[in-house]
Amino acid sequence: MIKRKFFGRNIEPSCEYCKYGKISEFDGNLLCEKNGILSEYISCRKFAYDPLKRKPKTQRNLPKFDKEDFTL
């Protein structure tokens, strides 16, 4: 059985969605269990991907249609 990875196979390591990082409530930096306070775009050798920390993209608003748009 082929194992599918979330969000593709080529994921750039980032502490923003690492298992060991948590976003600070005060200044937006990351609190890493392994390396202390870091910027969210930095990654280290201890990076462990956590798919639940990824933020989904916002959905686009669809245009409104009337009945006239679907008549010939």
Side-chain angles (χ1 to χ4, degrees):
M1 183 161 114
I2 297 173
K3 185 176 182 181
R4 298 184 82 187
K5 294 205 173 203
F6 294 106
F7 301 101
R9 295 193 179 277
N10 299 328
I11 297 170
E12 289 288 324
S14 172
C15 288
E16 183 179 11
Y17 41 86
C18 178
K19 174 171 100 173
Y20 301 113
K22 293 182 182 179
I23 296 178
S24 172
E25 296 175 8
F26 303 110
D27 58 0
N29 287 332
L30 279 153
L31 305 173
C32 179
E33 294 177 14
K34 304 291 182 180
N35 294 319
I37 300 173
L38 300 171
S39 172
E40 40 184 283
Y41 303 110
I42 296 175
S43 65
C44 64
R45 296 185 324 178
K46 301 287 186 180
F47 175 76
Y49 178 63
D50 185 3
L52 298 176
K53 289 191 175 184
R54 291 290 291 250
K55 295 180 182 110
K57 295 178 183 176
T58 57
Q59 291 184 345
R60 298 183 301 175
N61 292 332
L62 297 176
K64 302 290 182 190
F65 293 109
D66 295 332
K67 275 188 169 183
E68 296 173 1
D69 294 332
F70 298 102
T71 58
L72 294 177

